[in-house]
Amino acid sequence: MKFIKSFFIAFSFYSKIPVPQFEWKQEDMKYALCFFPWVGALIGVCVYFWGDFCLRREVGVLCYTFIAAAIPLLITGGFHADGFMDTMDAFHSYQPKEKKLEILKDSHIGAFSVLMLALYGLLYLGAFSEIQDRVLLRIVCGGFFLSRCLSAVAAVSFPAAKKEGLLYLFSNASQKRTVRAAAGIQAVLGVGYMLLQSLFAGAVVTAAALLAFGYYYYRCKKELDGITGDTAGYFVLLCEGSIVAAAALLSIFG
């Protein structure tokens, strides 16, 4: 029963998919992060079916690209984009750690958050438009799953920048060893799926995801001495953008 509740908590919190609602108790949140990657799996399936439809019907590249980019936002409600914007405001403030943490808590958006999200969106759209091959599309779609596996591992492994907030709540309530093992196993399965599609392309895209993971730890440690819920959203976008960019380069130069 706890696992079922944890599944519904994960989808209730990390997506806009309607699920049964109930009072959240700490014991029910122990394994919620184990199911976080399956939100990514749902996104990947939806993006793949849309992309496959477009490739079969020779849908225009703008329609193909823009709707493919909109699907993750529709399923998550822009949850991770919000964290990305707050993180960009904090990182580009060039203030001491304490001030950056205050900026992360501020509900208002600044100029840097808008500029950096616009830049990210342009780069993502441009890169995704180059993915016209079904093998690369399947690998990219697997990336939505992998990015959330790595995010779950980070949530229970990386130091927290503050002793409050939603990420700290989930991390503190989690059965960390179980979540780390489950997310790690799922990450290996995700990488295995990508390698099955193409050994070379899967390896390159996986490397891009792992580089993003390493950079995430380095940047957050340097800027904040740890991670927060907002930086977790930043990482999901950073990882997915890195995956799409790597796949686009493979498509162009492959």
Side-chain angles (χ1 to χ4, degrees):
M1 190 64 180
K2 289 180 182 179
F3 286 100
I4 295 174
K5 287 185 176 180
S6 292
F7 173 85
F8 287 136
I9 287 173
F11 271 77
S12 177
F13 188 76
Y14 292 110
S15 80
K16 288 295 182 180
I17 305 298
V19 295
Q21 299 295 312
F22 51 87
E23 181 183 357
W24 290 13
K25 297 180 181 178
Q26 187 165 355
E27 63 181 15
D28 298 327
M29 299 171 65
K30 286 183 179 180
Y31 308 106
L33 285 170
C34 296
F35 299 101
F36 176 37
W38 292 95
V39 177
L42 175 63
I43 293 171
V45 168
C46 292
V47 171
Y48 178 74
F49 277 118
W50 167 249
D52 183 64
F53 170 81
C54 291
L55 294 175
R56 289 180 186 277
R57 297 291 180 177
E58 298 183 352
V59 173
V61 67
L62 284 179
C63 183
Y64 161 67
T65 303
F66 277 71
I67 293 180
I71 289 171
L73 294 174
L74 292 171
I75 291 177
T76 64
F79 181 79
H80 305 298
D82 177 69
F84 177 89
M85 294 179 76
D86 289 340
T87 302
M88 289 297 94
D89 268 340
F91 283 179
H92 289 90
S93 69
Y94 303 103
Q95 298 292 320
K97 171 196 167 185
E98 292 73 20
K99 182 62 177 177
K100 289 175 182 174
L101 290 173
E102 289 179 17
I103 292 172
L104 287 173
K105 291 170 64 176
D106 192 344
S107 59
H108 298 88
I109 61 172
F112 275 110
S113 67
V114 176
L115 289 170
M116 295 306 293
L117 185 65
L119 177 61
Y120 176 88
L122 290 171
L123 292 172
Y124 185 95
L125 291 169
F128 199 95
S129 69
E130 294 296 328
I131 301 169
Q132 303 286 330
D133 175 79
R134 284 183 177 81
V135 171
L136 284 176
L137 179 61
R138 286 195 291 270
I139 291 173
V140 166
C141 289
F144 293 108
F145 180 77
L146 179 60
S147 68
R148 286 160 177 78
C149 291
L150 296 176
S151 183
V153 170
V156 295
S157 303
F158 292 178
K162 55 184 181 178
K163 305 298 183 181
E164 59 180 348
L166 289 171
L167 182 76
Y168 182 76
L169 174 65
F170 270 86
S171 177
N172 197 48
S174 294
Q175 189 70 260
K176 292 188 178 182
R177 186 175 297 179
T178 302
V179 170
R180 192 180 296 115
I185 291 169
Q186 290 179 94
V188 171
L189 292 174
V191 170
Y193 164 79
M194 295 160 78
L195 293 175
L196 281 174
Q197 305 308 311
S198 167
L199 187 60
F200 178 70
V204 170
V205 170
T206 298
L210 293 176
L211 284 172
F213 187 65
Y215 177 76
Y216 172 52
Y217 175 82
Y218 165 78
R219 188 73 187 272
C220 290
K221 186 68 175 167
K222 177 184 175 182
E223 302 277 357
L224 305 169
D225 286 336
I227 63 173
T228 70
D230 286 318
T231 67
Y234 157 77
F235 168 70
V236 170
L237 263 65
L238 174 68
C239 188
E240 291 173 358
S242 300
I243 286 169
V244 170
L249 290 173
L250 287 169
S251 179
I252 294 168
F253 296 107

